[in-house]
């Protein structure tokens, strides 16, 4: 997995994962850990893409079902699913994905701009497209994974 | 000033004042660290484990159908020693499911919220009493209405601590009445 050559400044290390039939990647630097799926405790009145919270070594960690968040078909998670714990702003969030597939090293100029389409998913999350071995991997940003403080209903 | 002192004393803390004429006063509030530990009743509502702070619970009872009276469409009151107390289905108030039709299937907890407001909370079962360590939900997520905080149970799972005051108040205030939540909707989508 991955390439071990020296990483220069214009290189990014990315972690690639599968959600449904698509592959996405995020900057490896914001990933804190990857762990198996454990049952989450559902939160009342939460957005439908928030699976609930889990106990991460004593801290309460919200789990976002990335498939639902990205508007993709979602399935009930099984032991094969993984949670990618990421640092986003001041918060830690767990992202529920199907599997982590690869660690990539990509140059900035390898990342192609995402096509200008009206899809909300593309506009909100996709920051670029990365061709790797004939596959297409979408580079996504996590700024909007958790909504800003919603006024409680 | 006395309100603050009483509230601090109720938490087991103390307040000290040091004044210097012409300069000002220093108020020192000391609160016990053990505040992070809460005595709670472990209950289940719609299959979810919840903790209800013991301090809010007055008594537990088993409601009888003959003592339940409808007040309006979705509000029942329970006759309790001559008085009438509104009944709140906890699972429905949190949006886990639609209100229960038969209150006799549940266990009732008489609670007293802020200002002595009484209500009867309906849950499925009581699993016992336990001291829990309070974990903030806001640190990594955000405040959830009706939930005061979370805790980690012995089996490593997260249980939510019910905010009795909010739940009791929500039923008094129509605008805040729980509409079926999106959590429910997602369950339906999945199945």
């Amino acid at each position: 997995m991955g390439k071990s050559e020296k990483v220069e400044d214009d290189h990014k290390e990315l972690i690639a994962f599968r959600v449904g039939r698509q592959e996405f990647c995020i900057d490896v630097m914001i990933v804190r850990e990857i762990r198996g799926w454990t049952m989450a405790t559902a939160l009342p009145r939460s957005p439908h893409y928030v699976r609930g919270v889990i106990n991460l070594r004593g801290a309460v960690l919200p789990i976002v079902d990335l498939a639902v968040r990205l508007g993709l078909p979602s399935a009930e998670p099984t032991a094969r699913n993984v949670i990618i714990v990421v640092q986003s702003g001041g918060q830690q969030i767990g992202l529920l994905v199907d599997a982590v597939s690869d660690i990539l090293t990509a140059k900035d100029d390898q990342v192609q701009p995402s096509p200008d389409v009206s899809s909300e998913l593309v506009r909100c999350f996709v920051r670029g497209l990365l061709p790797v071995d004939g596959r297409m991997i979408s580079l996504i940003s996590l700024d909007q994974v958790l909504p800003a403080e919603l006024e409680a209903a | 000033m006395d309100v603050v002192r009483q509230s601090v004393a109720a938490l087991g803390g103390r307040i000290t004042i040091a004044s210097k004429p012409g300069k000002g006063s220093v108020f020192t509030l000391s609160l016990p660290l053990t505040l992070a530990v809460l005595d709670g009743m472990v209950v289940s509502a719609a299959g979810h484990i919840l903790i209800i702070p013991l301090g809010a619970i007055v008594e537990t009872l088993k409601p009888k159908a003959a003592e339940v009276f409808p007040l309006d469409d979705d509000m029942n009151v329970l006759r309790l020693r001559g008085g009438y107390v509104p009944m709140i289905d906890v699972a429905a108030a949190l949006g886990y499911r639609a209100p229960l039709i038969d209150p006799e299937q549940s266990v009732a907890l008489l609670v007293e919220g802020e200002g002595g407001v009484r209500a009867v909370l309906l849950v499925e079962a009581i699993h016992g009493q336990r001291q829990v360590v309070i974990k903030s939900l806001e640190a990594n997520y955000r405040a959830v209405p009706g939930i005061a905080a979370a805790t980690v149970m012995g089996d490593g799972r997260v249980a939510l601590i019910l905010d009795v005051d909010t739940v009791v108040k929500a039923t008094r205030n129509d605008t805040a009445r729980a509409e079926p939540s999106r959590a429910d909707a997602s369950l339906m989508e999945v199945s």
Side-chain angles (χ1 to χ4, degrees), chain B residues 39-43 50-61 78 80-81 84-90 93 107-123 126 146 161-172:
Chain B
D39 268 311
M41 191 81 97
V42 184
V43 302
L50 291 169
I51 314 284
I52 299 180
L54 211 56
I57 299 174
V58 180
E59 63 176 279
T60 61
L61 42 130
L78 180 74
L80 193 68
R81 286 187 284 279
Y84 294 94
V85 187
M87 301 175 80
I88 300 163
D89 185 346
V90 173
V107 180
L109 301 154
L110 179 65
V111 293
E112 199 171 85
E114 242 168 68
V117 180
R118 288 188 163 206
V120 166
L121 300 182
L122 296 179
V123 297
I126 294 178
I161 302 171
L162 195 73
D163 185 345
V164 172
D165 281 325
T166 322
V167 170
V168 170
K169 266 186 211 136
T171 55
R172 309 197 149 237

Side-chain angles (χ1 to χ4, degrees), chain A:
Chain A
M1 288 234 295
K3 296 163 197 156
S4 54
E5 72 239 38
K6 200 169 165 254
V7 179
E8 288 152 34
D9 279 353
D10 58 340
H11 282 72
K12 268 196 204 123
E13 292 242 33
L14 302 165
I15 190 157
F17 50 89
R18 272 191 312 103
V19 178
R21 292 186 297 117
Q22 295 191 39
E23 270 192 282
F24 298 92
C25 61
I26 52 176
D27 192 338
V28 84
M29 292 311 287
I30 63 167
V31 177
R32 289 285 162 270
E33 66 177 280
I34 295 167
R35 49 176 294 139
W37 164 250
T38 40
M39 254 329 263
T41 303
L43 286 173
R45 288 177 219 156
S46 55
H48 56 283
Y49 50 81
V50 176
R51 277 266 166 201
V53 287
I54 62 162
N55 162 26
L56 180 75
R57 287 183 299 277
V60 175
L61 182 80
I63 301 298
V64 171
D65 189 332
L66 207 56
V68 180
R69 185 67 183 116
L70 298 174
L72 305 171
S74 105
E76 220 21 63
T78 65
R80 301 184 63 86
N81 285 80
V82 292
I83 293 170
I84 303 178
V85 182
V86 296
Q87 187 81 39
S88 170
Q91 300 181 315
Q92 286 200 344
I93 311 169
L95 303 175
L96 176 66
V97 302
D98 286 351
V100 172
S101 46
D102 210 348
I103 295 185
L104 314 162
T105 310
K107 274 192 198 148
D108 280 344
D109 57 9
Q110 273 180 287
V111 179
Q112 302 177 10
S114 51
D116 191 10
V117 290
S118 66
S119 149
E120 200 201 329
L121 153 69
V122 174
R123 266 189 294 125
C124 288
F125 298 105
V126 177
R127 291 288 166 269
L129 302 173
L130 192 70
V132 176
D133 305 335
R135 297 174 297 168
M136 184 193 86
I137 301 181
S138 313
L139 176 66
I140 55 173
S141 95
L142 297 175
D143 306 342
Q144 298 189 44
V145 159
L146 266 193
E149 200 75 26
L150 283 183
E151 205 36 62

